[in-house]
Amino acid sequence: MAPKIAIVYYSMYGHIAKLAQAELKGIEQAGGKADLFQIQETLPQEVLSKMYAPPQDKSVPFITPDIFKTYDAFLFGIPTRYGNFSAQWKTFIDHLGQLWQSGALYGKYFGMFVSTATAGGGQESTCMNALSSWVHQGMIYVPLGYATTFALLGGLEEVRGGSPWGAGTFAGGDGSRQPSSQELELAQAQGKGFYEHVSKVNFA
Ligand SMILES: Cc1cc2nc3c(=O)[nH]c(=O)nc-3n(C[C@H](O)[C@H](O)[C@H](O)COP(=O)(O)O)c2cc1C
């Protein structure tokens, strides 16, 4: 049976949302399908206004633990906060306690993609720090690696986010930089490679 894949992300300013679309394109390029979900906002409107955050995109459904547990494999989109999950993401993870206790997510697969403002802001550390939550659930990490992306990851000609831990983009200090074509290419390659890997697993 084909794996049921969810791309789950939080995106305050849209950078992660753009990478999520590229990940989906990669999955579809490999002949697969995936559903997009977003993490519900948790900050009060007063704070969001001060952060110049636009309203959440209502066209992408919000994930819940009940929906989450019905999927076999996941790609998680994380905009870094101090090199780690955003609080919105962490709140959702804290709602997964019952799934953790029952082992409902054990053996399921995941990959990650990230956005940071700056080059030293957490392209790798965000993935490293995020690992702990999913390891506690007993989930299996599928990193981007270098197998199909050596030229992109090895290139130094232009500024580019992403690492063997997962695709990534740089938003810039003021959030004005948008994902570059190389960053979108990397995210698409991750989606493709992720699907090619998990589609070999028997999810009967
Ligand atoms: C509270 C807060 C903490 C942040 N911490 C970092 C950080 O440690 N390193 C960094 O490069 N960017 C940091 N950023 C910038 C965000 O990662 C950036 O806004 C985000 O990646 C943009 O993605 P989005 O458009 O999908 O929301 C921080 C932003 C906020 C609001």
Side-chain angles (χ1 to χ4, degrees):
M1 205 158 52
K4 207 177 157 195
I5 302 176
I7 301 172
V8 185
Y9 67 89
Y10 173 78
S11 186
M12 184 174 271
Y13 303 108
H15 298 82
I16 282 287
K18 284 186 183 146
L19 290 188
Q21 290 292 342
E23 298 273 353
L24 176 62
K25 209 166 149 188
I27 290 171
E28 290 172 348
Q29 186 189 356
K33 284 196 289 191
D35 297 323
L36 285 170
F37 293 97
Q38 59 178 332
I39 301 283
Q40 182 105 45
E41 186 54 73
T42 55
L43 291 174
Q45 188 52 52
E46 190 192 348
V47 176
L48 292 167
S49 301
K50 286 181 179 158
M51 296 172 82
Y52 305 105
Q56 275 195 297
D57 176 7
K58 295 282 184 299
S59 67
V60 180
F62 294 118
I63 194 73
T64 66
D66 280 344
I67 297 171
F68 194 80
K69 71 180 180 195
T70 66
Y71 283 83
D72 303 310
F74 307 86
L75 286 168
F76 299 134
I78 311 167
T80 202
R81 299 288 185 266
Y82 315 110
N84 207 332
F85 277 118
S86 65
Q88 296 83 354
W89 249 116
K90 189 64 171 59
T91 300
F92 175 69
I93 290 167
D94 287 359
H95 280 84
L96 301 179
Q98 201 272 328
L99 301 186
W100 164 66
Q101 279 178 332
S102 63
L105 301 177
Y106 184 84
K108 295 188 185 233
Y109 290 75
F110 73 99
M112 294 180 274
F113 54 100
V114 299
S115 170
T116 71
T118 63
Q123 292 281 317
E124 293 169 88
S125 73
T126 303
C127 296
M128 291 175 198
N129 291 327
L131 266 185
S132 175
S133 298
W134 309 116
V135 164
H136 279 243
Q137 298 279 1
M139 295 172 72
I140 301 165
Y141 179 35
V142 183
L144 173 59
Y146 284 92
T148 62
T149 55
F150 198 91
L152 267 175
L153 283 175
L156 290 173
E157 295 75 27
E158 58 178 86
V159 172
R160 170 196 46 71
S163 76
W165 293 80
T169 186
F170 295 126
D174 62 358
S176 63
R177 184 181 181 274
Q178 294 303 308
S180 68
S181 57
Q182 281 199 351
E183 289 166 346
L184 293 170
E185 201 182 323
L186 209 48
Q188 187 172 335
Q190 181 175 16
K192 182 171 180 286
F194 186 77
Y195 183 78
E196 284 168 353
H197 183 75
V198 298
S199 62
K200 289 185 200 138
V201 180
N202 183 5
F203 289 101

